[in-house]
C-alpha cells in the first residue's frame, strides 16, 4: 500500500498574475492614516479607494473601466470632516457605499450610474450615534438596508439605513477596541475580534453573547476573526513570540482550535478574505508582498496550505471582487485590487483548465445582488440564506466558433475544369492521384446543378423563417409596450 503524499485539490495550482500596466489605476494618493483597514472596496461596477485629503476625509470612486493615470482633479466623495477609516459597498445595490470616519459619523452615499463628474459632498443619509471615531462598517449579507458600524468607543451599532434609525446598540459586550466584525452566512450572528484578545460570537437582535474564546491568539498585535459558510470561525493573529498565526475554531466548542498554523515572524496584521463557494481563504499581510491561500475542508487537518502569490511591491491595502464580478470564461476564481503607494493593481487568480467550457466545479451558485429579507423582517426575527444565482449566464466562450462555409468547394471543383481536347497528365503524375482528381471533378460537375438547387431551397426556407420571427418579435414588443404603459 502506498500512502498519498500530496492531497488532491483543484485549487493547488491556482495561478496569480498582475494585470498589465495599462490596466492599473495610476497616480492614486492612497491614505496614510494609521488604521488596519483594507482602504479599498470593489464591486462589479466600481472601485473605491480611501485617499489622502486635506481638511477632511475622502475616497475615490472609479468605474472599473477607468484604468490608467487618474487626474489629480478627479472628483472624490468628500463629505466627512475627518479622515475616512473604512468603506463597504452594499451587496444589494452596486451604486450604494457606506463610509466610517474619524468624525464619529457613518455616511451612506449614492454613486451616479456612470461614476462621479463632480465632487460628491451630500450623503443620502448620515448616521450619528458613535462618540469616537468609526473604524468598521459592514453591510448585512441578506437583509436590505441593514448596516453595522463599530467604533473606538467599543460600541457596535446596527442601523436601518432606509429609515436612518438605530436598530440595536451593543455597548457592554466589548471592554476594549474592536478590530473587526464579520457576519455569518445568513446574518443571524456576527463574530468580533477585540483588543482584549477575545473572539466573541454575538446575537445582535437579543444583544447576547453566544460564545467567547479568551486569548484566541496570545500576541498583543491586532487579530481578525471571520465566519465561514458552515458556521466555523477562522482567525488570524500573533503568538506570544510575535509569530503570525492562523486558527480554525468551532464556536460550539471554543476550548481548543480545530487547526492552528504558524506562518512567519513579520509584523503586519493579516487580513483574511474568504470565498464561501470554494471554501478558500486568502490571507494578505499589510506591508507584505505576498498573498497566501488555504483550503478549508471537513476532515483533519482541516486547514490546508495551497500556494503563495508573490510580487515585488508591498501592499498598503487590498480589495476583493465579489464572485459575480469575475470573468468565468477565463476560469478566474478571485480578483484582488492591491494598493501600492501611488497606484492600484488588479491581481487575477485563475485555475488553468484546458477546456474552454463553463467549469461547474469552480463556479457553484453564488450569492446574487437580490436581498433575501427586508430590514423589518430581519428585526422581527426572520433569517434567510442569500439568494443564489448561477454564473453560467455570465459565461462568454473565449473563442467564437462561427461556422464558415467555403461555397466554392461545396459547389464546384477546387480547380478549373479542363477544356475539351486538353491532354491529361502523363505517366509522370502518380496514377492514383490522377484518377481521384478526375473522378472528383466529374462528380462535382454532375452534382453541381442538384446542389445549387438544394442551397436555393434552404435559403428560401431560412428567409421565410426570418420573416415569421420578425412578425413574432413585433407582436411581443407591442405587448410589452402595452404592459409598460399600463394598458394591459
Amino acid at each position: 500500500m502506498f500512502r498519498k503524499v500530496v492531497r488532491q485539490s483543484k485549487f493547488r495550482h491556482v495561478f496569480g498574475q498582475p494585470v498589465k500596466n495599462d490596466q492599473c489605476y495610476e497616480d492614486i494618493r492612497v491614505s496614510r492614516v494609521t488604521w488596519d483597514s483594507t482602504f479599498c472596496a470593489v464591486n462589479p461596477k466600481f472601485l473605491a479607494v480611501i485617499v489622502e485629503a486635506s481638511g477632511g476625509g475622502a475616497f475615490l470612486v472609479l468605474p472599473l473601466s477607468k484604468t490608467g493615470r487618474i487626474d489629480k482633479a478627479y472628483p472624490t466623495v468628500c463629505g466627512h470632516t475627518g479622515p475616512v477609516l473604512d468603506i463597504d459597498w452594499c451587496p444589494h445595490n452596486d451604486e450604494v457605499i457606506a463610509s466610517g470616519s474619524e468624525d464619529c459619523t457613518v455616511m451612506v452615499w449614492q454613486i451616479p450610474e456612470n461614476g462621479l463628474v463632480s465632487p460628491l459632498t451630500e450623503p443620502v443619509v448620515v448616521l450619528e450615534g458613535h462618540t469616537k471615531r468609526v473604524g468598521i462598517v459592514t453591510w448585512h449579507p441578506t437583509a436590505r438596508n441593514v448596516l453595522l458600524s463599530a467604533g473606538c468607543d467599543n460600541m457596535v451599532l446596527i442601523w436601518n439605513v432606509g429609515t436612518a434609525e438605530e436598530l440595536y446598540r451593543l455597548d457592554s459586550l466589548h471592554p476594549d477596541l474592536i478590530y473587526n466584525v464579520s457576519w455569518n452566512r445568513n446574518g443571524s450572528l456576527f463574530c468580533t475580534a477585540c483588543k482584549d484578545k477575545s473572539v466573541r460570537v454575538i446575537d445582535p437582535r437579543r444583544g447576547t453573547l453566544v460564545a467567547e474564546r479568551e486569548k484566541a491568539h496570545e500576541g498583543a498585535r491586532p487579530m481578525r476573526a471571520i465566519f465561514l459558510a458552515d458556521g466555523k470561525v477562522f482567525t488570524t493573529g500573533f503568538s506570544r513570540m510575535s509569530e503570525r498565526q492562523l486558527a480554525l475554531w468551532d464556536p460550539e466548542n471554543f476550548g481548543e482550535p480545530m487547526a492552528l498554523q504558524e506562518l512567519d515572524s513579520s509584523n503586519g496584521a493579516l487580513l483574511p478574505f474568504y470565498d464561501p463557494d470554494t471554501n478558500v481563504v486568502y490571507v494578505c499581510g499589510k506591508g507584505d508582498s505576498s498573498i497566501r491561500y488555504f483550503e478549508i475542508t471537513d476532515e483533519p487537518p482541516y486547514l490546508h496550505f495551497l500556494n503563495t502569490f508573490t510580487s515585488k511591491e508591498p501592499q498598503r491595502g487590498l480589495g476583493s471582487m465579489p464572485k459575480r464580478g469575475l470573468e468565468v470564461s477565463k476560469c478566474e476564481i478571485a480578483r484582488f485590487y492591491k494598493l501600492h503607494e501611488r497606484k492600484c493593481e488588479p491581481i487575477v487568480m485563475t485555475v488553468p483548465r484546458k477546456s474552454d467550457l463553463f467549469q461547474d466545479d469552480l463556479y457553484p451558485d453564488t450569492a446574487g445582488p437580490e436581498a433575501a429579507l427586508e430590514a423589518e423582517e430581519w428585526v422581527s426575527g426572520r433569517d434567510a440564506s442569500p439568494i443564489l444565482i448561477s454564473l453560467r449566464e455570465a459565461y462568454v466562450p473565449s473563442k467564437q466558433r462561427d461556422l464558415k462555409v467555403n461555397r466554392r468547394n461545396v459547389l464546384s471543383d477546387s480547380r478549373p475544369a479542363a477544356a475539351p481536347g486538353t491532354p491529361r497528365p502523363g505517366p509522370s503524375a502518380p496514377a492514383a492521384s490522377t484518377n481521384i482528381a478526375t473522378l472528383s471533378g466529374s462528380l462535382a460537375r454532375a452534382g453541381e446543378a442538384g446542389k445549387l438547387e438544394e442551397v436555393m431551397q434552404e435559403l428560401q426556407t431560412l428567409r421565410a423563417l426570418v420573416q415569421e420571427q420578425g412578425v413574432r418579435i413585433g407582436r411581443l414588443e407591442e405587448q410589452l409596450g402595452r404592459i409598460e404603459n399600463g394598458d394591459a
Side-chain angles (χ1 to χ4, degrees):
M1 291 291 289
F2 291 95
R3 187 169 62 89
K4 273 190 180 178
V5 178
V6 178
R7 188 184 66 90
Q8 291 296 312
S9 170
K10 56 183 170 251
F11 303 112
R12 180 168 293 284
H13 302 292
V14 170
F15 177 62
Q17 189 174 27
V19 300
K20 294 176 181 172
N21 276 339
D22 60 350
Q23 293 175 286
C24 294
Y25 305 84
E26 302 276 355
D27 218 11
I28 295 174
R29 304 184 307 278
V30 178
S31 173
R32 295 176 177 276
V33 68
T34 53
W35 185 255
D36 280 326
S37 160
T38 59
F39 291 158
C40 179
V42 64
N43 71 16
K45 286 183 78 169
F46 295 109
L47 165 71
V49 180
I50 302 174
V51 292
E52 285 283 294
S54 53
F59 57 95
L60 269 176
V61 175
L62 303 169
L64 289 186
S65 57
K66 187 167 178 57
T67 53
R69 186 179 170 277
I70 307 301
D71 195 324
K72 281 187 172 61
Y74 194 86
T76 58
V77 180
C78 50
H80 284 288
T81 56
V84 177
L85 300 180
D86 196 20
I87 49 179
D88 192 31
W89 286 106
C90 176
H92 309 125
N93 187 334
D94 287 342
E95 292 164 13
V96 171
I97 187 169
S99 57
S101 164
E102 280 193 11
D103 64 10
C104 308
T105 65
V106 176
M107 294 185 180
V108 180
W109 310 84
Q110 176 88 38
I111 306 299
E113 187 178 351
N114 298 315
L116 299 177
V117 291
S118 60
L120 186 58
T121 56
E122 291 297 319
V124 178
V125 62
V126 180
L127 305 172
E128 296 176 319
H130 287 282
T131 56
K132 293 186 179 177
R133 58 184 181 167
V134 182
I136 298 165
V137 287
T138 177
W139 293 90
H140 192 284
T142 60
R144 195 189 314 277
N145 291 339
V146 175
L147 178 68
L148 179 151
S149 62
C152 295
D153 48 12
N154 309 338
M155 283 198 299
V156 175
L157 300 183
I158 297 174
W159 310 86
N160 182 344
V161 174
T163 58
E165 64 178 322
E166 183 184 300
L167 296 175
Y168 303 102
R169 174 180 290 255
L170 309 173
D171 54 4
S172 60
L173 297 175
H174 298 90
D176 213 329
L177 177 69
I178 302 165
Y179 286 135
N180 89 301
V181 178
S182 170
W183 291 98
N184 68 351
R185 184 80 162 147
N186 66 1
S188 59
L189 305 170
F190 64 79
C191 67
T192 63
C194 182
K195 195 173 182 180
D196 67 353
K197 303 181 186 177
S198 288
V199 172
R200 295 174 175 85
V201 176
I202 294 166
D203 183 332
R205 288 169 294 195
R206 291 196 177 95
T208 55
L209 199 60
V210 176
E212 181 179 8
R213 165 66 195 190
E214 296 177 0
K215 291 192 177 178
H217 296 276
E218 296 200 344
R221 298 188 62 81
M223 50 192 266
R224 289 282 188 282
I226 57 171
F227 256 120
L228 305 183
D230 61 357
K232 305 283 193 301
V233 173
F234 178 85
T235 61
T236 64
F238 291 80
S239 71
R240 190 180 293 165
M241 305 301 291
S242 290
E243 291 180 308
R244 297 198 291 192
Q245 293 180 322
L246 311 175
L248 183 67
W249 307 85
D250 182 353
E252 295 180 4
N253 180 18
F254 248 150
E256 289 296 322
M258 296 169 65
L260 180 68
Q261 281 193 23
E262 293 194 344
L263 289 187
D264 53 33
S265 52
S266 295
N267 57 7
L270 290 169
L271 307 176
F273 295 87
Y274 173 60
D275 179 359
D277 303 330
T278 57
N279 249 12
V280 174
V281 175
Y282 301 85
V283 179
C284 323
K286 267 208 158 183
D288 288 7
S289 55
S290 63
I291 300 172
R292 297 177 175 90
Y293 26 108
F294 300 80
E295 187 175 3
I296 297 170
T297 60
D298 296 329
E299 298 171 356
Y302 304 112
L303 193 60
H304 306 273
F305 172 72
L306 292 174
N307 214 329
T308 304
F309 164 79
T310 307
S311 55
K312 294 176 184 174
E313 298 287 326
Q315 52 231 13
R316 296 281 308 280
L318 218 65
S320 173
M321 174 66 79
K323 215 55 178 294
R324 58 193 174 87
L326 302 180
E327 290 193 48
V328 295
S329 56
K330 296 181 179 176
C331 294
E332 186 180 358
I333 62 163
R335 191 189 313 153
F336 295 101
Y337 287 75
K338 173 180 170 178
L339 300 183
H340 297 241
E341 202 77 28
R342 301 279 297 186
K343 76 170 182 177
C344 176
E345 175 187 44
I347 294 168
V348 175
M349 299 281 187
T350 53
V351 176
R353 293 280 170 95
K354 290 180 180 176
S355 168
D356 62 351
L357 299 174
F358 179 73
Q359 305 294 319
D360 295 271
D361 60 328
L362 296 183
Y363 301 107
D365 289 356
T366 192
E370 192 59 44
L373 295 171
E374 296 299 326
E376 295 75 18
E377 292 178 294
W378 181 74
V379 171
S380 70
R382 281 191 59 193
D383 291 319
S385 297
I387 295 175
L388 303 182
I389 58 170
S390 169
L391 293 176
R392 188 181 287 275
E393 283 72 33
Y395 174 71
V396 179
S398 53
K399 298 172 186 172
Q400 297 297 327
R401 297 183 172 180
D402 295 336
L403 178 64
K404 292 182 180 177
V405 178
N406 190 333
R407 296 187 181 282
R408 192 165 171 239
N409 285 346
V410 170
L411 299 177
S412 63
D413 184 15
S414 57
R415 292 169 298 169
T422 306
R424 295 286 175 193
S428 58
S433 61
T434 305
N435 291 342
I436 290 167
T438 309
L439 182 60
S440 62
S442 55
L443 279 172
R445 283 192 295 276
E448 184 174 347
K451 286 186 178 176
L452 186 57
E453 190 176 332
E454 279 178 28
V455 170
M456 291 302 290
Q457 282 178 353
E458 282 185 23
L459 278 173
Q460 286 172 353
T461 309
L462 282 171
R463 190 178 289 122
L465 186 63
V466 167
Q467 287 174 345
E468 186 182 327
Q469 293 295 336
V471 172
R472 183 169 176 271
I473 288 167
R475 276 204 310 273
L476 288 171
E477 285 177 343
E478 188 180 331
Q479 286 174 8
L480 183 62
R482 285 207 302 273
I483 289 167
E484 287 176 345
N485 296 329
D487 299 332

